[in-house]
């Protein structure tokens, strides 16, 4: 029996990366902590030691995802079309995070880290609506979020014919302009 290596620079990161890979392959429910340990080359107890259980791991993945999304949206600047494109790019580049973040039954929604990261991402979207509307208006915010989230979801699931060979940003840009630049 081969010995399992315990020498990892950042075991938590290794396990989160293994979870993201497993989710990308088989969805948020199609894997176990034991499988993640095998993928990461660590003991079967290591994921539970770091995250407690699968829900704990998914809570950390959602927290990380909302933080990455907030950063991507903030880095996009003040043009709301660019913010929308950043949202689509995030979904495509971080599919596993995206799939977990918007299935709140998978993680602890009341976790302070999730709440803070989700609120930060929401605040960036609200600020974008202010740029478009001059004030915060919930209807515009919901329309914008629905559009970019729906487009991103359709793209990553392959429901759009353009998804097969296309560029998600090039395909999304005219759609976003239709809403935001009228």
């Amino acid at each position: 029996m081969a010995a399992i290596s315990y020498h990892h620079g950042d075991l938590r990161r290794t396990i989160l990366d293994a979870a993201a890979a497993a989710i990308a392959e088989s969805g948020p429910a199609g894997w176990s902590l034991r499988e993640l340990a095998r993928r990461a080359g660590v003991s079967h107890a290591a994921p539970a030691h770091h995250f407690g259980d699968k829900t704990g791991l998914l809570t950390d993945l959602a927290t990380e995802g909302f933080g990455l999304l907030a950063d991507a949206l903030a880095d996009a600047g003040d043009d709301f079309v660019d913010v929308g494109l950043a949202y689509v790019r995030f979904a495509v580049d971080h599919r596993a995070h995206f799939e977990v973040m918007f299935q709140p039954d998978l993680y602890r929604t009341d976790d302070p880290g999730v709440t803070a990261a989700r609120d930060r991402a929401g605040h960036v979207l609200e600020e974008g609506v202010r740029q478009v509307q001059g004030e915060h208006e919930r209807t515009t915010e919901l329309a914008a979020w629905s559009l970019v989230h729906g487009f991103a979801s359709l793209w990553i699931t392959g429901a759009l014919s353009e998804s097969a060979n296309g560029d998600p940003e090039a395909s999304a840009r005219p759609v976003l302009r239709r809403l935001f630049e009228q």
Side-chain angles (χ1 to χ4, degrees), residues 28-102:
W31 51 273
S32 66
L33 290 180
R34 193 173 285 272
E35 178 186 343
L36 292 185
R38 183 189 51 73
R39 282 177 179 259
V42 298
S43 78
H44 71 276
H49 174 75
H50 283 275
F51 301 100
D53 56 14
K54 189 173 182 176
T55 302
L57 189 147
L58 291 173
T59 299
D60 277 18
L61 200 67
T63 301
E64 180 176 76
F66 281 116
L68 291 169
L69 176 60
D71 291 344
L73 298 177
D75 290 347
D78 293 336
D79 183 311
F80 208 48
V81 170
D82 289 340
V83 172
L85 292 173
Y87 190 100
V88 171
R89 187 177 328 109
F90 169 81
V92 171
D93 292 347
H94 300 281
R95 181 178 179 165
H97 290 86
F98 187 77
E99 289 186 28
V100 171
M101 291 160 54
F102 298 104

